[in-house]
Amino acid sequence: MTMMRIKDFYEEGERKGFMTFGRVIKIHFEWGRKMRKLAAVVICIVFAVGAGYVFAQPLKKHTFELGPEVSYIVYKEPGLMKEKGMMYGLIGSYTYHNKIMLKADAKGSWGKVDYSNSGKIDDLEDYMLEGRGLVGYDFPIAQVHSITPYVGVGYRYLNDDGSGKISSTGARGYERESNYIYSPIGMELSIHLGNGLFATEMLEFDYFWWGKQKTHLSDIDPGYNDPENRQRKGYGLRGSMTLRKKLEKVEFEVGPFIKFWSLKKSDTEPIKFNGSFTGLYLFEPKNNSTEFGVKLSVTF
């Protein structure tokens, strides 16, 4: 069967009470210029702390980190819709240094975001989970504590739950699940400033391997299926700067971070009702998200 025209699909969705989130509208907008400028700013900031002033010291062999973070996230399907709001989370990691660097880190965050398109919905429940494994090598540098290039693998899960919500135009909300598998490729620079104070700067590119979006259309009507759309192209960027103060038994670390994701349009999947094809298809449009915030952690 031929694919229904995008305009007809959208209008049909509105008649049925869908809150479409732009999933069936063809995108004609490019995000490129603004986000490239953002990436350039991140690069400049992350490496602005220049040369160190003291001498190299050996890295601690075993390090555990735990603490809270707070961030503001903006998700966009350009020209179609936007979600934005505060997220609150916990981070944790274990790092091993002995020339070889091994690291496992994880985070969980939750919050409420506001949806806006032709209609509006406030306080959608969101939560995010992420886990990563990294391997790198520590290069001590004269006057600079160390520089550590690394690679790894990561998994990111985001749940955006609009089920049970009604927009200002009467459209019904539904739950969405986002899954990414990617490879971090980055570099961390650690500088000893003296008096137990350290500056750490990180810049990372995230190579996107695989993604899956699950859309719970059954939240609108139990007769609908819940399509799962494969995502094949995209990338991420992230950067951070922190200051770490070493005390007798523990260290405290604080600093800002920024994370960015850009994903291309997904594959299409048929929409079914009571097992029968409706003649409509669903896809995840091209989208991007920017998250910036600050963390405060204790290491031991």
Side-chain angles (χ1 to χ4, degrees):
M1 300 182 69
T2 59
M3 183 181 294
M4 191 175 188
R5 290 189 305 112
I6 299 301
K7 182 174 181 294
D8 294 340
F9 191 175
Y10 175 72
E11 291 174 349
E12 179 71 13
E14 288 295 317
R15 286 195 296 271
K16 291 178 180 295
F18 286 30
M19 182 173 68
T20 64
F21 282 94
R23 276 170 165 63
V24 293
I25 308 174
K26 185 176 181 181
I27 301 177
H28 295 287
F29 299 90
E30 295 293 333
W31 69 274
R33 294 180 180 175
K34 292 183 179 180
M35 289 303 107
R36 289 190 184 98
K37 289 180 181 178
L38 175 63
V41 170
V42 171
I43 292 171
C44 291
I45 291 174
V46 168
F47 288 99
V49 178
Y53 296 102
V54 193
F55 46 85
Q57 292 186 355
L59 292 165
K60 190 175 179 180
K61 194 169 184 179
H62 302 281
T63 302
F64 296 88
E65 179 184 21
L66 184 65
E69 70 173 30
V70 60
S71 63
Y72 186 79
I73 190 167
V74 179
Y75 170 85
K76 294 180 180 179
E77 293 172 1
L80 303 177
M81 59 79 69
K82 179 191 294 187
E83 288 185 352
K84 57 184 180 180
M86 298 295 298
M87 301 288 285
Y88 307 91
L90 291 173
I91 59 171
S93 69
Y94 164 74
T95 307
Y96 170 84
H97 288 282
N98 188 11
K99 295 185 179 180
I100 296 293
M101 185 277 290
L102 301 174
K103 184 175 183 178
D105 64 52
K107 67 161 281 185
S109 61
W110 57 93
K112 294 184 178 181
V113 299
D114 297 333
Y115 163 86
S116 61
N117 189 356
S118 55
K120 296 182 178 181
I121 301 180
D122 292 337
D123 297 333
L124 298 181
E125 299 279 351
D126 272 23
Y127 70 89
M128 185 188 308
L129 302 172
E130 189 167 15
R132 294 146 53 94
L134 307 175
V135 58
Y137 193 88
D138 297 319
F139 293 94
I141 300 175
Q143 294 186 343
V144 178
H145 192 131
S146 66
I147 186 167
T148 307
Y150 61 85
V151 296
V153 62
Y155 170 72
R156 176 183 183 266
Y157 173 82
L158 173 64
N159 186 290
D160 180 55
D161 193 359
S163 59
K165 299 279 189 176
I166 304 294
S167 78
S168 58
T169 57
R172 299 177 184 176
Y174 48 82
E175 180 184 5
R176 300 184 299 159
E177 296 180 83
S178 172
N179 301 266
Y180 298 170
I181 294 177
Y182 64 95
S183 282
I185 305 169
M187 185 173 295
E188 185 173 276
L189 175 66
S190 181
I191 302 170
H192 183 205
L193 301 176
N195 297 320
L197 189 63
F198 297 82
T200 302
E201 304 157 358
M202 180 274 290
L203 182 67
E204 180 181 297
F205 173 81
D206 293 323
Y207 185 88
F208 183 81
W209 290 106
W210 175 91
K212 181 178 72 174
Q213 293 284 332
K214 184 172 183 179
T215 304
H216 292 255
L217 296 182
S218 58
D219 290 338
I220 298 170
D221 188 305
Y224 285 107
N225 64 322
D226 295 332
E228 296 184 0
N229 297 93
R230 279 288 310 275
Q231 293 174 295
R232 302 180 185 277
K233 294 183 179 181
Y235 69 91
L237 297 170
R238 63 183 67 191
S240 67
M241 292 195 310
T242 60
L243 286 176
R244 187 173 79 254
K245 178 63 176 178
K246 185 176 181 180
L247 302 178
E248 185 176 348
K249 293 184 178 181
V250 298
E251 301 175 356
F252 290 95
E253 190 169 15
V254 62
F257 64 85
I258 186 168
K259 302 175 184 179
F260 172 76
W261 280 101
S262 175
L263 276 293
K264 297 294 187 181
K265 172 187 168 183
S266 74
D267 295 347
T268 59
E269 289 293 328
I271 296 178
K272 298 179 181 180
F273 190 80
N274 291 332
S276 299
F277 180 45
T278 63
L280 305 176
Y281 290 85
L282 189 72
F283 67 84
E284 182 78 1
K286 182 172 67 174
N287 61 78
N288 63 76
S289 64
T290 304
E291 181 183 9
F292 54 91
V294 63
K295 75 167 188 176
L296 172 64
S297 64
V298 58
T299 61
F300 52 92

